[in-house]
Amino acid sequence: MTTEQQIHIEPAARMTGLPTQFFSTLVAKANKQIAMGKDIINLGQGNPDQPTPSHIVEALQQAAANPLYHKYPPFSGYSFLKEAIAKRYLEDYGVELDPATEVAILFGGKTGLVEISQCFLNPGDICLVPDPGYPDYWSGVALAGGKMEFMPLLAQHQYLPDFKAIAPDVADRAKLMFLNYPNNPTGATASTAFYDEAIAFARKHNIIVTSDFAYGTIGFDGKKPTSFLQSAGAKDVGIEVYTLSKSYNMAGWRVGFALGNAKIVEQINLIQDHYYCSLFGGIQEAATVALTSSQQCVDELTATYERRRNALFQALHEIGWKAEMPSGSFFCWLPVPDGMTSSQFADIVLEQAGVVVAPGNGFGTSGEGYVRLGLLTNEARLQEAIYRIGKLSLFK
């Protein structure tokens, strides 16, 4: 063992300025209860509970043996995967994409959502961020040294941002804006008319739009979610970030795409040239199989989430917990009882009912007064979670 004095290790300012990952705190609280031997129903996280469809797994198993994929892949990924996502968008949304210039392959959607801020924000630049919203938007803005201006998502406005409420000077100074529908955490969806309005707002104020379409296949009651890219002029002002994580239960595979404006895609490919050497080729081939094979597995998964939603809301009705059904995603956004904060309610139901929910204030100031529940276990388990909460007599 050396007795020499260690050097002083001081992180860069960008590291000390990162937002706190509140999910790590949530997991720690749940694990503490599990260690005490309690039966915990975890509805607080967004990790799909079903396995990847077998035909996709088998495609990876076969592709892994291909010596070609044991070498470095092309820096921006294989053209066959870009062509596959372009074909899927044309079939599903009627959107034409040039695979060579309008598609970037990502290490999961999260990576693109963090990288976009680093590509286009200088220190002090403004980014418009939904509140409540996915916390990793904040991470990218912080790493870029940007400044966030929050767009409240309120029930009375169908959880859509009100562009008219954004101060003109803020809008003129903003360089980037995040949108996310179907929405995490509220479960709300957006229409073509809303995206038309967003595009007009972005064009007027010269703002790059990033549409987070992570839950793009999960729409309920026979209504398919709308893609930002379906609106005229979308590619003039922004991109859409798509992922296979939710649609195909491939969260651990880390396959995503940035789609749309060629100049934005070019910058994402450039920054990734400095970070990565693209995804393992075998995963790219299996992802291509996912996108080009029958989409029955996607439809069945959406039907599963709809059945779970319906079962959960039946239980909510029975205990007197009034809430609005989500129209998309696999999340439910539920108001907490009067007189409680989101965190207080989450702690009570964990400690007294053995149920993990995510406090809404972890997604932003406007999330206070709500909790998010994930539809990520079977119907019986979801209903048991609600019945356990009902026994606490919190809803009068």
Side-chain angles (χ1 to χ4, degrees):
M1 180 183 297
T2 179
T3 58
E4 296 179 5
Q5 185 176 357
Q6 295 186 8
I7 65 169
H8 175 63
I9 307 295
E10 184 174 353
R14 73 178 63 88
M15 300 303 294
T16 57
L18 287 172
T20 301
Q21 284 282 3
F22 95 102
F23 281 111
S24 61
T25 303
L26 194 67
V27 170
K29 288 182 177 180
N31 287 341
K32 181 179 179 181
Q33 296 293 315
I34 292 170
M36 295 166 61
K38 294 185 178 180
D39 174 29
I40 300 299
I41 303 176
N42 190 345
L43 308 182
Q45 295 173 269
N47 199 358
D49 64 306
Q50 300 292 300
T52 304
S54 59
H55 67 285
I56 302 172
V57 175
E58 290 166 5
L60 174 61
Q61 290 170 333
Q62 295 176 17
N66 185 344
L68 172 66
Y69 298 144
H70 302 170
K71 302 178 181 181
Y72 288 120
F75 268 79
S76 63
Y78 285 101
S79 59
F80 58 74
L81 179 54
K82 297 179 183 182
E83 291 164 3
I85 188 60
K87 182 174 183 288
R88 175 56 42 219
Y89 255 69
L90 183 61
E91 291 183 6
D92 286 355
Y93 307 108
V95 172
E96 293 188 3
L97 292 164
D98 180 349
T101 62
E102 297 179 336
V103 176
I105 297 171
L106 306 172
F107 279 73
K110 172 178 175 174
T111 299
L113 296 169
V114 172
E115 288 173 342
I116 188 77
S117 291
Q118 296 173 70
C119 289
F120 294 102
L121 295 181
N122 290 313
D125 284 345
I126 289 177
C127 178
L128 299 175
V129 181
D131 174 18
Y134 181 49
D136 281 313
Y137 305 148
W138 313 344
S139 302
V141 176
L143 286 167
K147 177 185 177 184
M148 292 189 292
E149 290 285 347
F150 291 101
M151 303 182 293
L153 307 186
L154 307 176
Q156 58 264 38
H157 208 261
Q158 293 74 54
Y159 298 109
L160 300 170
D162 182 359
F163 298 122
K164 297 182 182 66
I166 299 172
D169 65 315
V170 170
D172 286 338
R173 291 164 52 213
K175 293 184 69 175
L176 180 65
M177 174 172 65
F178 287 102
L179 300 175
N180 168 220
Y181 297 96
N183 184 255
N184 173 17
T186 69
T189 51
S191 65
T192 301
F194 167 76
Y195 286 128
D196 290 344
E197 183 185 0
I199 291 166
F201 175 79
R203 199 188 301 275
K204 178 180 179 180
H205 298 285
N206 199 44
I207 299 170
I208 291 171
V209 177
T210 300
S211 166
D212 177 0
F213 204 40
Y215 306 92
T217 61
I218 307 175
F220 302 137
D221 305 312
K223 297 178 181 178
K224 187 179 183 68
T226 300
S227 165
F228 163 72
L229 295 178
Q230 288 177 282
S231 284
K235 286 196 282 187
D236 294 336
V237 301
I239 59 166
E240 187 151 84
V241 174
Y242 188 83
T243 174
L244 303 195
S245 294
K246 281 73 178 183
S247 304
Y248 302 90
N249 284 322
M250 294 173 65
W253 298 54
R254 311 314 302 137
V255 185
F257 304 93
L259 309 166
N261 185 281
K263 291 182 179 179
I264 298 174
V265 166
E266 181 181 31
Q267 292 303 305
I268 290 175
N269 277 325
L270 176 59
I271 196 171
Q272 292 194 150
D273 282 351
H274 292 272
Y275 278 146
Y276 318 113
C277 190
S278 196
L279 295 167
F280 172 54
I283 287 180
Q284 293 192 50
E285 183 171 315
T288 299
V289 169
L291 291 164
T292 58
S293 300
S294 166
Q295 299 299 289
Q296 182 179 350
C297 61
V298 177
D299 296 337
E300 289 175 349
L301 183 60
T302 297
T304 294
Y305 288 136
E306 184 162 351
R307 286 194 302 271
R308 291 177 177 184
R309 179 201 66 166
N310 294 344
L312 183 135
F313 271 79
Q314 177 186 341
L316 291 176
H317 177 74
E318 291 175 16
I319 72 166
W321 192 351
K322 297 178 181 179
E324 185 177 344
M325 271 193 172
S327 52
S329 83
F330 50 50
F331 295 119
C332 301
W333 191 236
L334 309 178
V336 304
D338 292 340
M340 284 189 185
T341 68
S342 298
S343 295
Q344 287 170 341
F345 179 77
D347 287 343
I348 287 171
V349 299
L350 173 58
E351 294 167 6
Q352 298 183 25
V355 178
V356 180
V357 298
N361 59 347
F363 301 94
T365 304
S366 296
E368 182 55 73
Y370 293 85
V371 290
R372 190 194 73 178
L373 275 68
L375 300 170
L376 300 171
T377 187
N378 61 57
E379 290 98 314
R381 196 75 165 152
L382 286 167
Q383 290 191 317
E384 180 186 347
I386 301 305
Y387 294 148
R388 287 187 189 181
I389 295 172
K391 291 178 180 178
L392 302 180
S393 300
L394 299 173
F395 299 93
K396 303 298 183 183

